[in-house]
Amino acid sequence: MLAGGAYPAMLALGMLKAAPAHAFDLKGRGNGKKIIILGGGLAGMTCAYELNKLGYNCTILEARNRAGGRCWSVRKGSTNTETGKATLTAHFDDGQYFNAGPSRIPHNHQLTLHYCKELGIPLQVYNNVNESTYYFAEGKGALSNKKIRVREIHNDTRGYMAELLAKSIDHGTLDTGLTKEDSEKVIEYLMAEGGLDPDKLYKASARRGYIESPGAGDRPGKIANPHKLADMIQSGLMDPDFYNVAEYTYELQMTMFQAIGGMDQIAFALQKKVAQSLRLGAEVTNIVNIDNGVKVTYKDAQGEHAIQGDICICTLPLPVLSNVSNNFSGDVSRAIDYISYMQTGKIGLQFKRRFWEEDEHIYGGITHTNNELTQIFYPSYDYLGKKGILLGYYNFNEKAQKVGELSYAGREKLALQKGRLIHPQYDTEFENSFSVSWHKTQYNLGGWAVYTNETRKTQYPVLLKPDKQVYFCGEHLTYLNAWMAGAFESARSVVAAVHGRLTDQRIQYPAKTDK
Ligand SMILES: Cc1cc2nc3c(=O)[nH]c(=O)nc-3n(C[C@H](O)[C@H](O)[C@H](O)COP(=O)(O)OP(=O)(O)OC[C@H]3O[C@@H](n4cnc5c(N)ncnc54)[C@H](O)[C@@H]3O)c2cc1C
C-alpha cells in the first residue's frame, strides 16, 4: 500500500518515522524450507542468522575448522595453511593478537555497526590517522632512508602548495574566474591553510613539530627548517606510495572503530547465534542444480556426504569456487573465472616492549614506506602496556606477490631487515612472528574482489542473479569490496531475494525510504 510514492509522502508529512538504514523487517515465514549455505564467513553466517529468524532450516558448510573466514584475528595457537607450504602456528603470548583480515570499521558502515550492536560486541575507537608516524623512502633522493614524521611532510607539502597557489593568484598568472574580493578571500584561506607568513611565503611553524620541546623557564621550543620541496618530490614522498589516503578516503576518515579483543569477536558472536546450523570442517566439492532444488556434496573427517535443499546460497570466494565442480551456466562459470582478487599479505611481529610508544610516542596509526613493507601499523589497543604486536607489513599487488613467494622465515627476515631501518629497536625487542598471504591461503586465494570497469559491467551483474536455485553472496557481490559491510549488505540482499521467492512476495532490498 505504501509503495509508489505514498510512503515518501507520509514521511514528508511526519506521519511515519523514517526507516533506519538497518531496518530489516521481513514479513512471512520460511516454514522449515531447507537452505544450504556454502561458507561460514560473515556473509554465510549472516544469511543463516536472518533466515533462521524467519523460520528456515539452514545448514552452513564451512571447510575450515573455524568460522569467520577472512574475519580472523591471529593469537596463540592460530594456524594457517598456504598453498605449497606447511601449516603455520602462532606463538604469540596470551592476550596478544593481530587482525589478519579486517582491522577497521568505518563510522559510515552503519550495517556493520548495527550488527555489532545487535550482537552485543563492544567496540573501541581505532586510531587510523596519526601525525606522529613516519614516511620512509628507501634509496631515493635527498631524504632517502630518513624516517620523517608524517606531520613534517603534511605541513611542508600543504605550506608549499598554498604558497604556490597564493603566488599564482596574487601575480594574476592563474585565471580563477573569481572577483577580486573573492580571490582575496581565497588567498586569506591559503595563508591560514598553509601557515604562510605575511609575505605569503611558507616558513616552518610548530605545526611540523619541535626538535626541542617547549618547556619551563627559558625553553620556548625549537623548530626545524622545512624540507625542500624539490627534495620531497625527488625522494618520492609525493608519489602514490605516500598519498594521504588515510585521511581523505571516505571509508578511512576518522572516527573508525574496532571490536575490543580482536575483530574476530564479530565472527564469534555470529557463530553463537547460528551454532545449530554450522558444520565446520565440511569442504564443499560439488554443487548441482536439480529439479526444484539443489544437491551439494562435501567431505569432512568422516568422508563424503551429499545433502539436498530447496535453495543454496554460495558465499565461497570466486577463486575457490572456480575449482569446485558444478553445473552452472556458461555465463556464470565465465564470471566466476574472470573476476580477479587482490594479492595482499600481513605479518604480525611480537615485541618485548612497546618501543614505538615508549621511545617514539606513536600510539596507533600507520607508517608508510616505498619498499616491500608498504605500511607498518601500530596497535590501537593496550596503549602503554608491556608487550605488543606491530603489523610489520601490510602490502598489496606485486609487493604482496613477491613477499608471499618467500618462506615464512624469509618473510620474517625481510620484515625485520626493512623494519629495523625505521625502528632499530627491532634488533633487541623482537620475539616472534606470524604471516599471512591471503592470495595463497587455502579457502580464500585472494584478499577481496577487484573489479575493472569492464568486469563490473559485464561479469558482476551475472552473479547478482541466481543460477536456478543457487544464489551468490559475499563481499564480492557489492560495491563494498574489502569491507565487512559488503558481506553484511550482500547477505541481506540475498536473504531478501530468497525469502521473496519462497514466500511469493516482491521484496525490495534495500527497503525504499525517502533518503
Ligand atoms: C587483509 C584484509 C584486510 C581487510 N580489512 C578490512 C577492514 O579493515 N575492515 C572491513 O570492514 N573489512 C576488511 N576486510 C574485508 C572483510 O574481511 C571481508 O569483506 C569479509 O570478511 C568477507 O566475508 P565473506 O563472508 O564474504 O567471505 P569469507 O570471509 O572469505 O567467507 C567465505 C567462507 O567460505 C569458506 N570456504 C571456502 N571454500 C570452501 C569450500 N570449498 N567449502 C566450504 N567452505 C569454504 C571459507 O573458509 C570462508 O569461511 C579485509 C579483508 C582482508 C583479507
Side-chain angles (χ1 to χ4, degrees):
M1 188 187 91
L2 294 181
Y7 181 70
M10 288 171 82
L11 276 173
L13 291 170
M15 293 165 71
L16 285 178
K17 265 174 99 179
H22 49 74
F24 197 55
D25 202 10
L26 303 182
K27 307 281 174 273
R29 302 294 298 162
N31 297 327
K33 290 229 168 69
K34 284 185 79 172
I35 316 289
I36 306 174
I37 298 169
L38 314 184
L42 297 185
M45 290 197 288
T46 305
C47 285
Y49 176 53
E50 296 294 351
L51 287 166
N52 284 342
K53 284 186 200 168
L54 292 165
Y56 289 92
N57 173 1
C58 295
T59 302
I60 309 173
L61 300 174
E62 167 54 52
R64 289 178 165 112
N65 286 315
R66 63 167 181 85
R70 276 167 274 181
C71 183
W72 180 45
S73 307
V74 176
R75 39 175 72 82
K76 189 177 186 171
S78 298
T79 59
N80 194 39
T81 309
E82 293 186 16
T83 41
K85 287 192 165 66
T87 295
L88 185 65
T89 304
H91 298 290
F92 298 138
D93 283 11
D94 284 330
Q96 298 293 331
Y97 67 87
F98 80 98
N99 293 312
S103 61
R104 305 175 267 199
I105 305 174
H107 65 274
N108 39 44
H109 283 181
Q110 287 297 307
L111 193 55
T112 306
L113 292 173
H114 160 75
Y115 274 113
C116 289
K117 192 167 176 183
E118 179 168 328
L119 298 167
I121 300 157
L123 299 180
Q124 61 191 180
V125 168
Y126 178 95
N127 184 15
N128 194 52
V129 176
N130 185 349
E131 295 282 312
S132 281
T133 53
Y134 300 114
Y135 280 176
F136 185 83
E138 190 184 342
K140 211 171 172 192
L143 300 176
S144 163
N145 289 26
K146 289 192 181 10
K147 53 182 192 185
I148 304 175
R149 298 277 186 183
V150 167
R151 67 166 75 86
E152 294 179 24
I153 301 299
H154 280 179
N155 286 298
D156 288 352
T157 310
R158 201 179 286 135
Y160 286 127
M161 292 305 125
E163 180 186 311
L164 284 175
L165 198 50
K167 267 190 208 154
S168 317
I169 297 175
D170 217 18
H171 298 170
T173 48
L174 190 71
D175 180 9
T176 60
L178 296 172
T179 63
K180 189 163 173 294
E181 290 73 33
D182 287 351
S183 291
E184 276 163 11
K185 280 274 167 218
V186 172
I187 290 177
E188 202 180 306
Y189 163 81
L190 289 169
M191 290 178 70
E193 174 68 12
L196 307 187
D197 73 3
D199 297 324
K200 304 186 190 75
L201 297 177
Y202 174 63
K203 309 260 172 66
S205 77
R207 290 181 184 183
R208 63 193 306 290
Y210 293 90
I211 46 174
E212 268 175 37
S213 300
D218 62 352
R219 286 169 47 214
K222 204 165 157 188
I223 52 176
N225 289 328
H227 300 293
K228 292 194 179 101
L229 179 58
D231 288 350
M232 293 198 295
I233 296 170
Q234 283 154 26
S235 285
L237 294 174
M238 295 172 84
D239 289 354
D241 284 332
F242 298 101
Y243 281 173
N244 193 15
V245 292
E247 273 168 82
Y248 298 157
T249 310
Y250 176 58
E251 289 90 353
L252 295 177
Q253 290 166 4
M254 291 297 279
T255 306
M256 303 201 79
F257 295 98
Q258 64 184 346
I260 294 178
M263 211 60 117
D264 59 356
Q265 299 305 317
I266 300 178
F268 292 150
L270 265 173
Q271 184 174 355
K272 257 195 215 154
K273 296 283 184 195
V274 301
Q276 77 286 3
S277 303
L278 185 62
R279 292 189 201 169
L280 294 176
E283 180 183 331
V284 172
T285 53
N286 191 27
I287 310 163
V288 186
N289 272 304
I290 53 176
D291 286 344
N292 298 319
V294 60
K295 183 173 152 200
V296 174
T297 310
Y298 66 96
K299 56 180 188 200
D300 61 16
Q302 280 73 49
E304 194 170 87
H305 315 269
I307 53 171
Q308 289 189 20
D310 296 294
I311 291 287
C312 171
I313 300 175
C314 176
T315 75
L316 308 192
L318 300 179
V320 178
L321 183 57
S322 171
N323 293 309
V324 174
S325 67
N326 59 67
N327 66 348
F328 299 151
S329 74
D331 283 352
V332 165
S333 298
R334 204 167 307 112
I336 292 169
D337 289 344
Y338 263 67
I339 295 164
S340 57
Y341 272 60
M342 178 58 79
Q343 304 187 85
T344 181
K346 288 186 178 180
I347 192 167
L349 306 172
Q350 181 178 299
F351 291 98
K352 280 181 230 158
R353 185 171 76 83
R354 294 169 83 94
F355 55 82
W356 54 93
E357 295 178 357
E358 290 174 15
D359 306 347
E360 304 184 58
H361 322 128
I362 296 173
Y363 303 92
I366 307 165
T367 278
H368 293 267
T369 77
N370 64 346
N371 60 26
E372 294 89 334
L373 305 184
T374 307
Q375 311 172 84
I376 297 175
F377 279 58
Y378 305 92
S380 278
Y381 70 94
D382 270 3
Y383 293 124
L384 309 178
K386 193 168 176 299
K387 293 193 173 190
I389 295 181
L390 287 191
L391 209 56
Y393 62 70
Y394 178 16
N395 47 24
F396 314 102
N397 300 314
E398 295 81 15
K399 286 176 182 161
Q401 187 189 11
K402 187 176 155 199
V403 174
E405 290 306 318
L406 302 174
S407 63
Y408 298 125
R411 294 177 194 168
E412 178 185 288
K413 192 170 160 206
L414 179 113
L416 295 177
Q417 260 174 6
K418 299 283 179 187
R420 68 178 298 285
L421 299 174
I422 302 169
H423 298 295
Q425 300 96 322
Y426 274 28
D427 285 347
T428 51
E429 310 296 342
F430 173 69
E431 292 191 319
N432 55 58
S433 78
F434 187 96
S435 62
V436 184
S437 272
W438 281 100
H439 51 285
K440 296 176 84 71
T441 291
Q442 197 184 14
Y443 305 127
N444 273 103
L445 302 180
W448 48 82
V450 180
Y451 286 96
T452 59
N453 288 342
E454 183 60 22
T455 52
R456 184 64 87 176
K457 210 163 67 198
T458 55
Q459 311 303 335
Y460 175 68
V462 175
L463 297 182
L464 292 179
K465 286 176 267 168
D467 185 318
K468 298 192 179 121
Q469 284 72 250
V470 179
Y471 287 73
F472 302 97
C473 177
E475 64 78 32
H476 50 289
L477 291 167
T478 66
Y479 282 88
L480 291 157
N481 306 115
W483 293 107
M484 294 185 286
F488 291 127
E489 284 288 353
S490 176
R492 283 196 163 192
S493 160
V494 169
V495 165
V498 167
H499 185 57
R501 171 165 165 175
L502 295 180
T503 56
D504 257 333
Q505 306 178 66
R506 279 190 59 193
I507 302 175
Q508 186 151 17
Y509 183 81
K512 267 228 179 313
T513 69
D514 73 338
K515 276 201 243 158

